[in-house]
Amino acid sequence: DGTYRQVAAWNISDLPPNVTAHDPLPMSLAATQSVIDIKNQTTDGVPMPQGRLPAWVLEHPRIWLVVPLIHSSGLIGFVTLGRPRAARDLSWEDFELLKTAGRQAASYVAEDNAARSLIRARRFEDFNRQFAFVVHDIKNITGQMTLILKNAERHGNNPEFQRDLLATVRD
């Protein structure tokens, strides 16, 4: 539905809010496909324009980095990392490693999403198959009832027909 929801947390409080794909953070991540350093306000070490980050990111006491989860279809999510115990500056190699880890994580998320979609499709297929049997049986019964009504108009007064009619309806 175009909303990025927080699905897991480890060692961080004050969880980030759910955001839509049209919020500034996901739009920036999708456009740059870069790791954002919140403290220094850089993307892959390059200063970013002011006003590109939402207040909840800038004001969060623990968020240090935002790593995009990029898959072939584009941004499928992002990971917020808390500040490390020992402060350090990141090099271009660190940013590349984080982006690679993000792509790897995104592939696992995309694979899980595809597996879930396949399961839903199989369930729907099973439902359709079962429903087709029910519809087939109803059509058979409807055809029999139509035939009974047509014959009842012609042979309704015949006692032998009446016995056959009762036996057919009973079956």
Side-chain angles (χ1 to χ4, degrees):
D1 66 358
T3 300
Y4 297 98
R5 291 177 177 78
Q6 187 258 313
V7 294
W10 180 66
N11 202 19
I12 193 168
S13 60
D14 301 328
L15 300 174
N18 295 336
V19 295
T20 68
H22 301 293
D23 285 339
L25 182 62
M27 289 181 68
S28 177
L29 290 168
T32 65
Q33 299 187 1
S34 299
V35 175
I36 299 175
D37 180 338
I38 302 304
K39 178 185 169 204
N40 298 321
Q41 292 195 26
T42 62
T43 56
D44 290 348
V46 177
M48 60 188 301
Q50 294 294 324
R52 296 280 302 262
L53 294 174
W56 68 265
V57 172
L58 295 170
E59 295 167 1
H60 196 284
R62 291 267 302 143
I63 295 178
W64 173 46
L65 298 174
V66 181
V67 180
L69 301 180
I70 304 293
H71 195 256
S72 61
S73 59
L75 181 74
I76 63 171
F78 58 89
V79 175
T80 55
L81 300 177
R83 298 188 192 286
R85 290 187 182 133
R88 68 176 286 237
D89 291 327
L90 299 177
S91 69
W92 68 270
E93 291 171 323
D94 296 317
F95 288 114
E96 289 302 313
L97 180 63
L98 287 165
K99 288 193 289 189
T100 300
R103 279 190 222 93
Q104 186 68 31
S107 71
Y108 287 118
V109 170
E111 184 177 332
D112 183 64
N113 287 342
R116 289 173 193 261
S117 294
L118 184 58
I119 289 169
R120 275 194 305 274
R122 285 183 179 155
R123 285 184 187 156
F124 189 66
E125 184 179 313
D126 289 343
F127 172 79
N128 283 342
R129 193 176 308 116
Q130 291 171 354
F131 192 73
F133 283 117
V134 171
V135 168
H136 182 270
D137 289 346
I138 290 172
K139 285 174 72 175
N140 284 342
I141 292 171
T142 303
Q144 289 173 347
M145 291 299 191
T146 302
L147 186 60
I148 288 171
L149 287 174
K150 283 184 183 178
N151 286 333
E153 289 174 1
R154 282 190 240 143
H155 307 289
N157 294 331
N158 182 341
E160 187 178 332
F161 172 78
Q162 292 173 1
R163 282 190 297 276
D164 287 345
L165 173 77
L166 290 174
T168 301
V169 171
R170 191 177 299 117
D171 288 344

